[in-house]
RNA sequence: GCCGAUGUGGCGGAAUGGUAUACGCGGUGGUCUCAAAAACCACUGCCCUCACGGGCUUAAGGGUUCGAGUCCCUUCAUCGGCACCA
């Protein structure tokens, strides 16, 4: 009968007498410690703590009602890192709050006939409960709820600061309109022509909208100096901003004069032509001699005036068709759909070559990018090439293909888009590839027909939403004074607690007389309020600043508090926010810095994206698939510690992985073994009936078994510390498992070992290393060992590299790179000796098969490779 | 189409250019039990062999190297992002 089995029998007998003592019951201990930590303000970060600060932030959750397993994943990793960092001597601030405004609340409210406010606040209450059950070190004293007036007052105040500095403005412009959500959307919220939230194809609407001038910061937003961000995210932001360098060239068009009756003479006269300049943006001014046609976006304002009477009907039909089809066609996967377009019947003059080319409209030219006009260079642009082929327009080669002789472009299958020397280009002929662009720009600037120019894909951020559940935009419209900002001392502009929802496409606030009607802050005459509300991304663009000073009634934050805590040291959240939240927040910080409110450039120094937890079937969780894991149920069954540990054990933290119901059983079994290891050895050391002599006493020479345990302890500290620091939680837990396996094996081999200080030290180290990952069981067992302070207040254990070195090493003997034998040796064995031993190995000799060893490679401490 | 990431046992996954498959799940056999569950012990990449032992294996193919899962090239597959951006 093995020792462990005997122990188990004894434990089983004892269970009858004291169940509480011997059974691991996560439900009980987790509730107990959570209550204790709350009482003792474990998570509360003090501003006056002298230790170095560490701002450990997770992305603000939306209170959808239930904490998703994905939240658990994100927050567990963040919490482990936070607890670990705290034990390493930092004053860690790890706040939590709620991004509480937004469409889902309003949609749910309409569906269930309850008010968004009630729905949201109820959800928050439930999520607070769920968040507490994680056993995370949240600083609840700094909680923010973005839909409450003490928060949105400052959201409104910030809007006014942006307005004051001309970074918020109102304009009438074509906006993305979601007919299902009944509101306009920012460009970032339109994915593939459809609403990001409900996937309804968006429409274009001309409405007065509020925008934030994020484009002013386009260049600075392209710089990521000093930021430790995933390459992927930086690339996504860079592509989103989409900086293109090239030239703006002004082509000249002549609007035909109208035939008109002179009222004085009664005779018909032809008015003189009107000369208009139409700028185009191009990245390839070196191809300007290859222009054979000119294309305007169908929405271009000059289209109507540049259309000849003969073409009018066809043009109008095309514009109508483009308006209807564009968004739907964008959704189709057929990216290579044939080019369409209509000629206007008029011409433009190429200001460099002097040639006249026809003007067309085509939907491949977008009004929203560049100038909404394009010079058609079919030989050197694939789209223009396809367009020319479709309408039999001439193709003219003006760039050489390296040293290849010129060929007839009409025979080509693709445009030649590579750079090369200029040809067929008048005075520019022969300009080499690296100078071609600059020479043409220089010439155009000299002749004043064009200039170097830069264009961005990034548009200003549209922030008006025609919905109720958001922060009201603090603006009043006065018949006399126009748009007037609400004076700061009159903030907040309170959102009425209730709203009457009507599917009108206008904010419900418009139908609330008590909200709508007010007086002009300037003249006191009757006026109306802005009834649009702010995009919720505004709320989440500054919450990390508010956490530093969450309850300040006099300011959005006190400068010294923000200076103490910001910027965020580590920000952990989903990659789906790469071009929205993360870009907006950077913009906010830069703008506020320029206004003098902040003195740093970037909000988030280190950014980390956790992976996605998939359903047990390996597919993204969704209600319709029925593969959703509800945290409450698994926590109930296995305990929060097991859920935390299993989530981290699934795979690398940035990769996520499938949930596995057997997998969590395994982790739970591990925690049972930890419990057994500690409680059983505690029994043995704490009572006298099992004490066996033979273990070393203090001061005596350690036995081999003790040296082995001490080596294991130091190795595990080294390994787990590195893994936590790099957020490799899966391998950290594998190490912690090996630690327990090693201790159990030692215990089985020499039961007396458990009485030694060495073993006791190993157990204490195990609990400290477990503390960040499974905080409750670590705390409970720590106290069982007789400690009165929290395990979470211990400093992180140190290790001695010298003590991690093995007493004997295994040297691999290879012949021609293949494993043939193994040698046990002392770590400091001499090279000569190793070579001799390896060559003498019968197995190596057999593999050599009589051939002489040409060469012997020795990698100290690892292997010998005999080349024969 | 472009950009990026990833391909390792039955499964999730480990591996500073140096013992591939750590750790866990699952499976098989065993101990305990009247029995089952739990727990514990042993084995568990594939092929050949009664065995000793040998051969093969990190998506596929090639290369560099004494030695490649790891570095380089080609191809394939999966996932993510962008997609007429002039």
């Amino acid at each position: 009968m093995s020792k462990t089995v005997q122990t188990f029998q004894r434990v089983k007998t004892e269970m009858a007498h004291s169940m509480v003592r011997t059974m691991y019951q996560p439900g009980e201990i987790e509730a107990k410690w959570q209550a204790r930590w709350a009482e003792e303000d474990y998570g509360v970060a003090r501003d006056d703590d002298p230790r170095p600060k560490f701002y450990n932030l997770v992305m603000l959750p939306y209170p959808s009602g239930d904490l998703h397993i994905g939240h658990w994943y994100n927050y567990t990793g963040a919490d482990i890192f936070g607890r670990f960092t705290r034990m390493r001597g930092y004053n860690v601030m790890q706040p939590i709050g709620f991004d509480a405004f937004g469409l889902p609340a309003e949609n749910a409210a309409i569906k269930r006939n309850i008010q968004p406010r009630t729905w949201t606040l109820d959800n928050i209450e439930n999520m607070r409960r769920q968040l507490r059950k994680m056993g995370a070190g949240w600083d609840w004293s700094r909680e923010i709820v973005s839909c409450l007036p003490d928060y949105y007052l400052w959201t409104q105040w910030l809007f006014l600061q942006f307005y004051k500095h001309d970074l918020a403005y109102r304009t009438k412009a074509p906006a993305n309109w979601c007919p299902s959500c009944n509101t306009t959307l920012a460009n970032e919220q339109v994915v593939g022509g459809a609403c990001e939230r409900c996937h309804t194809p968006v429409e274009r609407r001309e409405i007065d909208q509020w925008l934030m001038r994020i484009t002013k910061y386009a260049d600075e937003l392209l710089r990521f100096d000093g930021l430790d961000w995933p390459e992927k995210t930086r690339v996504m932001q860079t592509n989103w901003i989409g900086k293109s360098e090239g030239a703006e060239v002004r082509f000249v068009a002549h609007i035909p004069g109208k035939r008109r009756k002179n009222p004085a003479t009664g005779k018909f006269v032809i008015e003189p032509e009107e000369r208009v300049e139409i700028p185009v943006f191009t990245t390839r001014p070196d191809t300007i001699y290859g222009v054979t046609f000119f294309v305007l976006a169908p929405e271009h304002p000059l289209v109507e005036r540049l259309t000849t009477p003969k073409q009018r009907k066809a043009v109008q039909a095309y514009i109508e068709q483009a308006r209807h089809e564009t968004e739907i066609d964008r959704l189709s996967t057929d990216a290579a759909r044939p080019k369409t377009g209509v000629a206007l019947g008029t011409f433009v003059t190429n200001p460099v070559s002097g040639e006249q080319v026809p003007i067309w409209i085509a939907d491949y030219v977008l009004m929203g990018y560049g100038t909404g006009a394009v010079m058609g260079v079919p030989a050197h642009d694939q789209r223009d090439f396809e367009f020319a082929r479709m309408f039999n327009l001439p193709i003219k080669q003006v760039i050489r293909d390296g040293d290849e002789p010129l060929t007839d472009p009409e025979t080509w299958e693709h445009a030649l888009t590579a750079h090369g020397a200029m040809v067929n280009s008048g005075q520019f002929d022969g300009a080499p590839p690296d100078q071609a662009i600059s020479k043409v720009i220089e010439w155009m600037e000299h002749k004043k027909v064009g200039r170097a120019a830069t264009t961005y894909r990034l548009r200003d951020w549209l922030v008006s939403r025609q919905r109720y559940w958001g922060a009201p935009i603090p603006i009043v419209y006065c018949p006399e004074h126009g748009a007037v900002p609400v004076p700061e001392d009159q903030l907040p502009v309170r959102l009425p607690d209730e709203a009457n929802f009507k599917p009108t496409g206008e904010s419900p606030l418009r139908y609330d007389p008590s909200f709508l009607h007010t007086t002009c802050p300037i003249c006191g005459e009757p006026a109306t309020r802005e009834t649009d509300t702010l995009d919720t991304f505004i709320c989440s663009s500054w919450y990390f600043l508010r956490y530093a000073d969450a309850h300040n009634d006099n300011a959005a934050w006190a400068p010294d508090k923000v200076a103490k805590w910001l910027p965020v040291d580590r920000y952990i959240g989903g990659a789906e926010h790469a071009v929205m939240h993360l870009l907006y927040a950077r913009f906010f910080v830069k703008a506020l810095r320029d206004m003098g409110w902040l003195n740093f450039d970037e909000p988030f120094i280190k950014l980390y994206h956790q992976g996605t937890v998939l359903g047990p079937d390996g597919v993204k969780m969704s209600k319709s698939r029925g593969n959703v894991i509800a945290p409450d149920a698994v926590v109930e069954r296995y305990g929060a510690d097991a859920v935390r540990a299993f989530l981290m054990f699934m795979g690398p933290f940035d990769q996520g992985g499938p949930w596995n119901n057997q997998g969590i059983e395994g982790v739970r079994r591990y925690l049972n073994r930890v419990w057994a290891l500690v409680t059983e050895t505690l029994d043995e050391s704490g009572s006298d009936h099992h004490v066996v002599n033979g273990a070393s006493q203090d001061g005596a020479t350690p036995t081999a078994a003790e040296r082995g345990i001490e080596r294991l302890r130091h190795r595990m500290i080294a390994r787990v510390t590195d893994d936590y620091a790099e957020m490799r939680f899966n391998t950290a837990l594998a190490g912690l498992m090996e630690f327990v396996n090693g201790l159990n094996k030692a215990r089985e081999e020499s039961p007396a070992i458990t009485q030694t200080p060495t073993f006791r030290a190993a157990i204490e180290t195990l609990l400290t290393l477990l503390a960040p990952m499974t905080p409750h069981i670590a705390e409970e067992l720590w106290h069982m060992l007789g400690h009165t302070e929290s395990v979470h207040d211990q400093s992180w254990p140190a290790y001695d590299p010298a003590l991690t070195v093995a007493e004997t090493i295994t040297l691999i003997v290879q012949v021609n790179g293949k494993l043939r034998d193994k040698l046990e040796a002392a770590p400091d064995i001499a090279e000569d000796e190793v070579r001799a031993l390896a060559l003498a190995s019968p197995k190596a000799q057999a593999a050599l098969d009589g051939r002489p060893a040409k060469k012997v490679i020795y990698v100290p401490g690892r292997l010998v490779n005999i080349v024969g």
Side-chain angles (χ1 to χ4, degrees):
Chain A
M1 196 191 264
S2 78
K3 172 65 198 169
T4 343
V5 171
Q6 286 176 31
T7 307
F8 181 67
Q9 286 302 301
R10 182 174 43 73
V11 168
K12 221 163 130 186
T13 323
E14 281 180 5
M15 271 163 57
H17 306 296
S18 57
M19 288 286 280
V20 183
R21 180 79 188 283
T22 51
M23 281 270 288
Y24 170 43
Q25 289 174 317
E28 282 178 22
I29 65 166
E30 287 175 3
K32 177 176 84 182
W33 288 112
Q34 283 165 19
R36 181 85 69 86
W37 296 332
E39 259 168 51
E40 293 172 358
D41 285 346
Y42 168 74
V44 175
R46 298 180 54 105
D47 293 338
D48 57 4
D49 192 309
R51 293 172 299 175
K53 71 94 181 178
F54 192 93
Y55 191 167
N56 192 45
L57 185 64
V58 297
M59 288 185 183
L60 190 65
Y62 180 78
S64 56
D66 270 305
L67 207 60
H68 189 265
I69 198 77
H71 289 122
W72 264 80
Y73 192 62
N74 180 179
Y75 300 165
T76 297
D79 185 54
I80 293 171
F81 193 81
R83 287 178 177 273
F84 168 69
T85 305
R86 192 177 324 224
M87 289 173 84
R88 296 231 277 181
Y90 289 85
N91 178 25
V92 172
M93 198 242 286
Q94 187 173 303
I96 190 75
F98 299 95
D99 186 17
F101 272 136
L103 276 176
E106 200 164 335
N107 292 340
I110 292 166
K111 209 160 140 188
R112 304 182 200 185
N113 198 28
I114 50 167
Q115 288 296 322
R117 183 187 156 83
T118 315
W119 185 87
T120 304
L121 295 180
D122 285 355
N123 284 350
I124 288 175
E125 200 44 54
N126 190 45
M127 287 177 75
R128 282 187 185 125
R129 178 187 63 77
Q130 293 174 314
L131 282 161
R132 287 196 188 97
K133 281 173 79 175
M134 292 185 62
W138 303 122
D139 185 345
W140 289 103
S141 76
R142 296 172 187 270
E143 186 201 55
I144 60 110
V145 176
S146 69
C147 70
L148 297 180
D150 64 350
Y151 185 86
Y152 72 69
L153 184 167
W154 302 109
T155 305
Q156 292 173 336
W157 179 83
L158 285 165
F159 177 85
L160 293 178
Q161 306 315 304
F162 277 69
Y163 180 77
K164 203 184 281 178
H165 289 85
D166 192 37
L167 290 170
Y169 63 98
R170 189 165 185 256
T171 189
K172 192 177 191 117
N176 303 302
W177 174 265
C178 173
S180 169
C181 295
N182 269 323
T183 184
T184 51
L185 303 170
N187 272 11
E188 288 81 4
Q189 290 167 314
V190 179
V191 178
C195 171
E196 178 223 7
R197 189 168 289 287
C198 67
H199 311 294
T200 308
V202 299
E203 299 167 358
R204 294 247 142 205
R205 277 205 184 179
E206 291 265 339
I207 325 179
D208 277 311
Q209 296 286 303
W210 286 94
L211 291 103
M212 295 292 221
R213 216 178 285 284
I214 190 171
T215 51
K216 187 176 172 191
Y217 288 89
D219 270 315
E220 198 188 338
L221 289 167
L222 284 168
R223 293 204 304 273
F224 296 90
D225 310 340
L227 295 189
D228 184 1
W229 278 35
E231 164 82 14
K232 191 174 90 173
T233 308
R234 296 201 311 261
V235 167
M236 277 169 78
Q237 290 204 353
T238 303
N239 291 342
W240 186 261
I241 294 165
K243 181 175 183 171
S244 291
E245 287 176 287
E248 193 179 280
V249 188
R250 292 191 298 278
F251 280 65
V252 180
H254 298 275
I255 297 169
K258 286 197 177 108
R259 189 164 169 270
R260 186 173 288 180
K261 194 175 182 178
N262 185 327
T265 63
K267 284 184 178 169
F268 283 96
V269 292
I270 308 283
E271 290 183 344
E273 286 186 337
E274 188 188 342
R275 184 180 183 278
V276 286
E277 290 187 341
I278 314 175
V280 298
F281 174 75
T282 177
T283 55
R284 295 295 302 272
D286 55 329
T287 65
I288 191 134
Y289 275 80
V291 175
T292 58
F293 57 94
F294 191 86
V295 193
L296 298 175
E299 307 88 357
H300 197 285
L302 286 173
V303 169
E304 206 203 317
R305 293 164 67 202
L306 287 167
T307 305
T308 57
K310 200 176 150 197
Q311 288 298 98
R312 181 137 296 152
K313 223 173 169 177
V315 166
Q316 276 170 354
Y318 185 79
I319 292 171
E320 196 57 29
Q321 177 198 326
R323 184 179 298 158
H324 281 100
E325 284 185 352
T326 302
E327 303 301 342
I328 299 157
D329 284 0
R330 291 271 186 78
L331 286 174
S332 82
T333 48
D334 182 19
R337 70 194 175 96
K339 294 281 179 288
T340 58
V342 176
L344 300 186
T346 51
F347 295 82
V348 283
T349 304
N350 182 332
V352 184
S353 70
E355 290 172 346
Q356 283 219 330
V357 294
I359 308 176
W360 288 64
I361 55 171
D363 64 4
Y364 82 90
V365 176
L366 310 173
M367 196 57 222
Y369 184 78
T371 60
V374 163
M375 58 184 215
V377 187
H380 305 293
D381 180 283
Q382 184 58 26
R383 295 152 304 181
D384 296 344
F385 182 83
E386 287 163 20
F387 191 76
R389 274 288 151 82
M390 183 63 72
F391 296 105
N392 290 316
L393 294 161
I395 301 172
K396 180 185 168 194
Q397 181 175 8
V398 295
I399 298 292
R400 280 190 174 277
D401 182 9
D403 297 329
E404 297 289 317
L406 299 186
T407 54
D408 180 4
E410 299 296 338
T411 65
W412 294 359
E413 285 176 18
H414 297 284
L416 170 60
T417 53
H419 287 262
M422 293 174 72
V423 67
N424 293 332
S425 297
Q427 75 268 34
F428 297 105
D429 274 357
D434 56 334
Q435 292 171 25
I437 289 177
S438 53
K439 282 197 166 189
V440 175
I441 290 176
E442 211 174 286
W443 187 90
M444 291 193 302
E445 285 180 344
H446 181 245
K447 296 284 181 183
K448 296 192 167 43
V449 296
R451 60 184 175 88
T454 304
T455 298
Y456 300 88
R457 205 182 85 114
L458 182 71
R459 301 266 73 95
D460 274 342
W461 173 18
L462 194 158
V463 297
S464 308
R465 296 292 177 274
Q466 292 70 44
R467 300 296 298 231
Y468 158 72
W469 193 236
I473 297 173
I475 295 286
V476 165
Y477 298 103
C478 168
E480 179 72 16
H481 298 97
V484 181
V486 173
E488 289 177 16
D489 60 6
Q490 290 175 29
L491 295 179
V493 175
R494 278 185 181 270
L495 187 68
D497 281 351
E498 302 207 342
N500 188 8
F501 298 101
K502 295 179 184 178
T504 59
E506 285 179 305
S507 172
L509 292 173
R510 177 145 300 181
Y511 301 96
D512 184 332
S514 65
F515 177 86
L516 182 66
H517 298 293
T518 182
T519 52
C520 171
I522 298 172
C523 61
E525 293 297 309
T528 57
R529 290 193 187 280
E530 169 65 65
T531 56
D532 284 355
T533 52
L534 288 170
D535 182 2
T536 53
F537 278 111
I538 299 263
C539 310
S540 55
S541 291
W542 73 281
Y543 77 101
F544 46 89
L545 303 170
R546 183 66 175 175
Y547 278 143
D549 193 9
H551 305 295
N552 192 330
D553 291 332
N554 304 312
W557 58 78
D560 61 324
K561 295 197 174 177
V562 162
K564 169 168 178 80
W565 290 107
L566 273 289
V568 172
D569 295 281
R570 184 163 301 214
Y571 196 25
I572 305 182
E576 67 274 16
H577 291 109
V579 290
M580 292 195 273
H581 164 60
L582 289 166
L583 193 62
Y584 297 148
R586 293 180 66 213
F587 160 56
F588 253 58
V589 163
K590 290 173 191 303
L592 290 167
R593 172 204 61 197
D594 290 347
M595 293 175 208
W597 297 108
L598 299 175
N599 59 0
F600 54 95
D601 302 319
E602 288 282 350
F604 316 121
I605 300 301
K606 164 98 184 167
L607 174 68
Y608 191 97
H609 296 308
Q610 82 282 0
T612 312
V613 183
L614 305 172
D617 52 359
V619 192
K620 196 173 174 175
M621 287 187 199
S622 72
K623 276 185 195 155
S624 55
R625 281 191 98 86
N627 62 350
V628 176
I629 299 298
D632 280 1
V634 284
V635 170
E636 177 70 26
R637 186 155 173 196
Y638 301 103
D641 281 340
V643 174
R644 290 168 62 106
F646 174 63
L647 284 170
M648 296 301 106
F649 195 54
M650 287 189 320
F653 187 44
D654 58 358
Q655 276 175 41
W659 180 268
N660 181 322
N661 287 310
Q662 261 98 46
I664 191 168
E665 296 269 5
V667 168
R668 174 57 198 267
R669 278 202 285 270
Y670 167 70
L671 294 180
N672 284 342
R673 283 197 297 273
V674 171
W675 185 270
L677 172 66
V678 178
T679 54
E680 287 170 17
T681 55
L682 189 69
D683 280 352
E684 288 163 17
S685 55
S687 57
D688 50 17
H689 58 281
H690 274 279
V691 170
V692 181
N693 286 327
S696 75
Q697 301 300 310
D698 285 333
T701 310
T703 62
E706 282 178 274
R707 292 198 308 272
I709 284 176
E710 189 61 359
R711 185 162 56 244
L712 179 68
R713 188 173 82 88
H714 284 265
R715 283 187 164 174
M716 288 306 152
I717 296 171
R719 178 166 164 189
V720 174
T721 303
D722 278 3
D723 282 346
Y724 277 157
E726 299 300 320
M727 299 208 290
R728 293 187 300 245
F729 303 123
N730 56 329
T731 50
L733 185 53
L736 290 163
M737 287 174 169
E738 286 183 45
F739 199 175
V740 169
N741 291 347
L743 293 179
N744 272 331
K745 194 163 183 208
R747 184 156 69 121
E748 198 174 330
E749 282 166 3
S750 49
I753 196 84
T754 59
Q755 313 306 302
T756 62
T758 310
F759 197 85
R760 165 85 183 199
I763 294 285
E764 298 210 341
T765 297
L766 171 68
L767 295 178
T768 14
L769 298 181
L770 273 170
M773 177 114 46
T774 55
H776 310 89
I777 189 174
E779 184 82 310
E780 177 71 17
L781 293 173
W782 183 257
H783 280 77
M784 274 194 198
L785 290 180
H787 293 288
T788 49
E789 324 91 64
S790 170
V791 70
H792 303 291
D793 290 335
Q794 301 305 304
S795 35
W796 193 251
Y799 69 95
D800 180 352
L803 291 178
T804 64
V805 177
E807 289 175 10
T808 61
I809 55 169
T810 307
L811 282 168
I812 299 308
V813 180
Q814 292 182 338
V815 175
N816 293 331
K818 279 193 197 273
L819 173 72
R820 294 299 173 187
D821 201 1
K822 297 177 184 183
L823 301 172
E824 289 296 317
D828 56 352
I829 187 168
E831 179 170 349
D832 290 351
E833 199 179 340
V834 173
R835 285 169 179 268
L837 283 170
L839 287 167
S841 155
K843 289 179 180 173
Q845 285 299 329
L848 275 169
D849 197 22
R851 282 164 304 176
K854 287 183 202 151
K855 196 168 160 189
V856 178
I857 287 154
Y858 176 55
V859 182
R862 302 215 74 118
L863 58 75
V864 189
N865 188 12
I866 303 166
V867 185

